[in-house]
Amino acid sequence: MSIRLQRLTERLAVTGWIGAALMPSTNLAYLTGLRFHAGKRLTLLLIPANGDTPVMVVPQLELERVRATSPFAMRYFAWSDAEGPLNALAEGMTAAFGAGTPTRPLAIEHTVMRVMTLRMLETVAPGLPTVNIDPLIGELRMVKDGEELALMERAVAMVEQALHVFLAQVRPGLSERVLSRMLHDAIIAAGADGESFTNIVASGPNSANPHHENSDRILQPGDLVIIDCGAVYRGYQSDITRTIAIGEPTAAARHVYEVVLAANTAARAACRPGVTGASIDAAARSVIEAAGYGAAFVHRTGHGLGLETHELPNIVAGSDTPLAPGTTFTIEPGIYLPGQYGVRIEDDVVITEEGSRSLTTFSRELIVIQE
């Protein structure tokens, strides 16, 4: 059993749950190293809370690959397209949790498990009680080990290399959509396995929409442009945002930029072991509120980062879990003025034993693209 799966089993043992059922997902990859193509064939890892050998219900066509790549022993119940998955699932449930419907809850992923899979579980175990395992696994994934941090640092280095190449090509007259493709190509050319998400190039009034979808709008002199992008390397993500100006910005726009930069600086300075997401959020928000733009900061200050671009912890009011060394997340305050422009500056941060460290090192000073 992998160390990560062993930690999960130890946590399950004290919950009173019978065990867990995991779909092919980021959680499964984190715990076992196994990855599957998305599909409609039932694949399920059953993890007994008592520490018994895990059970994998798997399509016949995947069986040999899983056997060959699994880093630890499992019991397999394979099924063919001709027979369907229900018999294999029933046998796997019995092997993992005993005969009959478990009376203790089975932990499932509320954000991942499909209705199809849940209905199959309910068919072979009528009346099955379930509970959400997402917060428990989220807490395990929140603290990164040295290998994970090294992969994240590679992902950061790749996207920052791509940004340098990309910004040298930005000029008025190009559309957001064209620039988005250029940025994508630069990220791949830097060695990334892919983008963390579809990059955002939001220009002029579009930059006032935090989740703008790239359009055919042409960059114009005087625009502020928000560029939000990330790289994936061996499953781990980076996420960085910078705001640039096309030509010299107005004094008001530069002032807004300086306020956001001060909020970013204050939030990063607040990061240390034992601090909470709520207090980091307050550090950024207080700067923006003091400048009179509190109502224009419309999202949380940051989010966890790792195998996914959004995971625990949440850097927001009400997030009161003390952050331990190894916890990774973004710091991304912003000000958005509808119909005018927006500014966001985002960095990736890790809590260390001594305080914190920014994984992103790209300049935070306003970059002005000369017309």
Side-chain angles (χ1 to χ4, degrees), residues 136-157:
L136 192 157
I137 299 181
E139 289 175 8
L140 294 176
R141 284 174 49 184
M142 194 162 64
V143 176
K144 309 301 190 293
D145 61 28
E147 180 181 357
E148 290 178 290
L149 285 173
L151 294 174
M152 291 183 69
E153 287 178 308
R154 288 292 302 277
V156 166

Side-chain angles (χ1 to χ4, degrees), residues 5 8-9 12 18-22 31 45-49 54-55 96-97 106:
L5 191 55
L8 174 63
T9 303
L12 288 172
I18 192 70
L22 300 183
L31 293 166
L45 180 65
L46 304 174
I47 307 167
V55 168
F97 309 122
L106 178 68

Side-chain angles (χ1 to χ4, degrees), residues 207-210 226 296-299 333-338 341-344:
S207 62
N209 177 1
I226 288 179
F297 184 8
V298 294
H299 55 70
I335 292 174
Y336 308 93
L337 304 176
Y341 51 79
V343 174
R344 182 166 67 252

Side-chain angles (χ1 to χ4, degrees), residues 354-370:
E354 298 78 22
S356 65
R357 178 168 62 92
S358 179
L359 303 178
T360 39
T361 60
F362 202 93
S363 174
R364 300 178 186 91
E365 296 303 316
L366 181 62
I367 295 173
V368 178
I369 305 296
Q370 298 301 327

